[in-house]
Amino acid sequence: MSDRIFLSSPHMSDEGYEMEYVQEAFDTNWIAPLGENVNGFERELAGKVGSKAAAALSSGTAAIHLALRAAGVGEGDIVFCPTLTFSATANPIIYQNATPVFIDSNDETWNMCPKALEEAFQKYPDVKAVIVVHLYGLSADMDKIVELCKKHNVVLIEDAAESLGTYYKGQHTGTFGDYGIFSFNGNKIITTSGGGMLVSNNEERIAKARFWATQSKDKARHYQHSELGFNYRMSNVVAGIGRGQLKVLDQRVEKKKYIYEFYKRELGDLEGVQFMPTNEWDAPNYWLSVMTLNGKVRPLDIFEALEEENIESRPIWKPMHMQPFFEKYDFVGTDVSEKLFEKGVCLPSDTKMTDAQLGKIGEIIKELW
Ligand SMILES: Cc1ncc(COP(=O)(O)O)c(C=O)c1O
């Protein structure tokens, strides 16, 4: 397995930044809980994305869960959620005993379609919150989505798990809504092995999220709890990895862009191939390079040809409204996300790939034509 090429796998810095922070935690026996790396990672991440406050958590999923709690989402509430996403966006809605309504994508962004969102607002005027996702590091059409949420006075949560390093009109994704979340899971553009971050300009709500994430301990000598608690905090060792990784985020975005441009140049003119959309307002992190196929070569042909050479590739995420667990919930839209799922190929986008490996992948794919 060691020579396998992955879609996106951990890539520690050549400079060893991560180990310096982790070593410091070891040297001071400050392994857990919390500590200077956690504070530092929160400060540095918030600074990087331009948010006032951040809470370092055990996962991106935990961050979405606490964002929903901070937004006051509870039993029976409706939450709009893109259908084209990873299930971790939708699962916390269920943790809160709320009800997801899935919204279709549009072809211009592959993300939440503002027209379908507007339609959903007509159908569910009492909706409590909207979660928008920046899938594969492509930003959603934020001006329109923010405007609609403001008009309907609804809390907006941005799932920027895949879009650290992506800017919409010069502003970092994850900072347009009331809350934003990031993931540092192993396949993300930077990773801490596992972890997440909740960001907001509302410092009070972030302080509350930290409180919930450490078992909601009231100020008392004994353990006292007036609210439900969670064990969702990031450890000081993990945060050390994050601080080191943050230093190479710009390098990683540069390499991801290089990979995308390589594929587009090599494969973009093949019959039926179309690459993921990039808009004039979008400066993506190119987390994954993704294309769709409309010709005689099918996605399965590519998955099989690459797998034969021990190279990972994948379909586009299967929409939530088509998932056995979620199909009972309502869906607003047409067939855009379904078509993307049928036709899409996520190409290997690992930043450790050499030019020779990229060249080989290009050749394997081109041969199918
Ligand atoms: C769009 C999206 N949302 C949420 C998550 C959840 O993040 P985590 O794995 O850190 O819980 C992920 C990735 O795993 C994701 O891709």
Side-chain angles (χ1 to χ4, degrees):
M1 282 303 273
S2 62
D3 59 351
R4 182 168 172 79
I5 298 175
F6 292 97
L7 272 194
S8 185
S9 70
H11 186 179
M12 294 297 111
S13 68
D14 293 336
E15 298 84 351
Y17 296 133
E18 300 85 355
M19 269 317 288
E20 286 173 24
Y21 289 111
V22 171
Q23 193 62 50
E24 198 183 309
F26 271 68
D27 290 346
T28 55
N29 268 312
W30 219 296
I31 301 301
L34 307 175
E36 185 41 38
N37 281 337
V38 172
N39 299 336
F41 191 31
E42 287 178 345
R43 200 169 52 236
E44 289 152 16
L45 191 286
K48 179 77 190 171
V49 304
S51 190
K52 269 198 193 147
L57 302 170
S58 52
S59 69
T61 311
I64 298 171
H65 189 191
L66 294 188
L68 289 169
R69 288 185 74 83
V73 170
E75 177 128 28
D77 286 331
I78 302 278
V79 178
F80 294 158
C81 175
T83 191
L84 193 67
T85 187
F86 183 60
S87 65
T89 311
N91 285 332
I93 302 172
I94 310 295
Y95 303 165
Q96 283 304 97
N97 293 316
T99 304
V101 169
F102 295 112
I103 313 288
D104 207 1
S105 298
N106 62 12
D107 284 316
E108 294 76 55
T109 65
W110 288 11
N111 284 304
M112 184 179 264
C113 170
K115 261 176 72 185
L117 177 63
E118 196 159 16
E119 218 178 291
F121 273 121
Q122 303 308 321
K123 194 166 176 188
Y124 297 97
D126 294 332
V127 57
K128 188 85 181 190
V130 174
I131 306 180
V132 64
V133 177
H134 306 290
L135 204 71
Y136 304 131
L138 304 171
S139 68
D141 191 349
M142 291 314 290
D143 279 352
K144 289 190 189 143
I145 290 167
V146 167
E147 190 190 321
L148 279 168
C149 289
K150 282 205 171 123
K151 183 172 146 198
H152 294 273
N153 201 18
V154 166
V155 177
L156 176 60
I157 297 167
E158 277 179 272
D159 177 349
E162 300 177 3
S163 72
L164 184 61
T166 295
Y167 293 81
Y168 172 91
K169 296 189 178 173
Q171 184 178 337
H172 202 288
T173 51
T175 64
F176 289 84
D178 300 274
Y179 302 97
I181 78 96
F182 297 96
S183 165
F184 313 108
N185 185 27
N187 64 356
K188 295 301 181 284
I189 191 157
I190 63 167
T191 181
T192 59
S193 74
M197 193 78 77
L198 174 67
V199 301
S200 177
N201 284 333
N202 187 332
E203 289 165 284
E204 197 191 306
R205 292 272 85 189
I206 291 293
K208 188 74 185 195
R210 291 195 194 106
F211 170 78
W212 288 328
T214 45
Q215 307 287 20
S216 296
K217 292 182 203 126
D218 292 342
K219 279 203 172 74
R221 191 178 295 276
H222 53 276
Y223 285 137
Q224 173 155 311
H225 311 277
S226 311
E227 288 188 62
L228 178 63
F230 300 86
N231 187 1
Y232 276 174
R233 211 56 165 118
M234 182 180 276
S235 94
N236 202 45
V237 176
V238 162
I241 306 174
R243 294 182 85 181
Q245 283 270 281
L246 202 52
K247 291 192 171 181
V248 293
L249 173 61
D250 293 345
Q251 274 179 49
R252 296 291 177 264
V253 173
E254 210 173 294
K255 180 67 187 268
K256 293 275 191 190
K257 187 172 183 188
Y258 174 86
I259 292 168
Y260 167 81
E261 282 171 351
F262 170 85
Y263 284 134
K264 202 163 175 191
R265 198 167 57 241
E266 291 293 309
L267 311 174
D269 293 332
L270 295 172
E271 189 254 331
V273 166
Q274 207 169 1
F275 270 82
M276 59 196 197
T278 49
N279 290 288
E280 75 289 351
W281 32 258
D282 195 6
N285 69 0
Y286 300 94
W287 174 57
L288 291 188
S289 288
V290 189
M291 62 182 186
T292 56
L293 302 179
N294 276 305
K296 64 178 196 322
V297 176
R298 310 300 305 159
L300 188 61
D301 301 325
I302 293 185
F303 304 143
E304 286 179 347
L306 290 177
E307 197 53 56
E308 219 159 89
E309 298 292 327
N310 203 16
I311 300 167
E312 186 188 16
S313 60
R314 245 179 219 282
I316 279 182
W317 296 182
K318 184 176 180 180
M320 291 302 110
H321 74 281
M322 299 169 73
Q323 297 285 355
F325 181 74
F326 288 111
E327 65 189 6
K328 59 180 175 286
Y329 298 104
D330 199 7
F331 163 72
V332 179
T334 57
D335 61 353
V336 176
S337 57
E338 268 175 61
K339 286 264 157 55
L340 288 171
F341 170 57
E342 264 168 42
K343 299 187 300 189
V345 177
C346 298
L347 294 161
S349 308
D350 200 291
T351 49
K352 298 188 299 304
M353 280 192 296
T354 61
D355 281 353
Q357 288 173 318
L358 264 178
K360 181 178 161 184
I361 294 166
E363 289 311 314
I364 294 170
I365 295 174
K366 277 192 281 187
E367 240 168 58
L368 296 167
W369 269 261

